[in-house]
Amino acid sequence: ATRAEVCTLAGQRPGHGITGKVLSVDFSPDGKRVVSGSDDNLVKIWANEERDEALTRKWHSNEVYSVAFSPDGLCVVSGSHDKLVKLWNAATGAEVRTLR
């Protein structure tokens, strides 16, 4: 395998994009989206083909250390330094459940 860059995910709209350190990333099961968690407390879902943000949510009050898609790609789980694990709808950003 080579270490060549395939693409860069960056916000194309003013005020969007990554502003903090990225701490976790995961591909959706179909490979069409990427989720990222960062030290600016944000969870972002990126449309991989467009290379732009599709959804941004600030569900945590501290750094987001871990993110992952569910096996069916319908939900995203995030874990944070705020001692919360949140499950949310990957299409709408609606919170499904908080684990304390």
Side-chain angles (χ1 to χ4, degrees):
T2 66
R3 294 185 179 181
E5 181 177 329
V6 175
C7 69
T8 299
L9 300 174
Q12 301 300 314
R13 299 178 307 257
H16 294 264
I18 297 171
T19 59
K21 294 177 187 172
V22 176
L23 303 173
S24 181
V25 296
D26 189 37
F27 277 97
S28 63
D30 63 8
K32 293 184 179 180
R33 295 171 293 164
V34 174
V35 62
S36 66
S38 57
D39 71 352
D40 56 5
N41 312 350
L42 297 177
V43 175
K44 294 177 182 274
I45 294 182
W46 306 81
N48 193 25
E49 293 174 356
E50 290 85 25
R51 300 182 185 132
D52 198 13
E53 290 175 52
L55 184 68
T56 299
R57 291 292 182 263
K58 188 171 185 174
W59 282 119
H60 293 281
S61 61
N62 256 306
E63 296 93 347
V64 179
Y65 287 117
S66 182
V67 292
F69 276 96
S70 61
D72 61 9
L74 298 177
C75 291
V76 167
V77 64
S78 58
S80 171
H81 187 69
D82 62 11
K83 302 178 184 174
L84 298 176
V85 174
K86 293 188 177 261
L87 181 68
W88 47 290
N89 182 299
T92 66
E95 185 176 344
V96 175
R97 180 177 296 161
T98 296
L99 305 173
R100 299 174 189 272

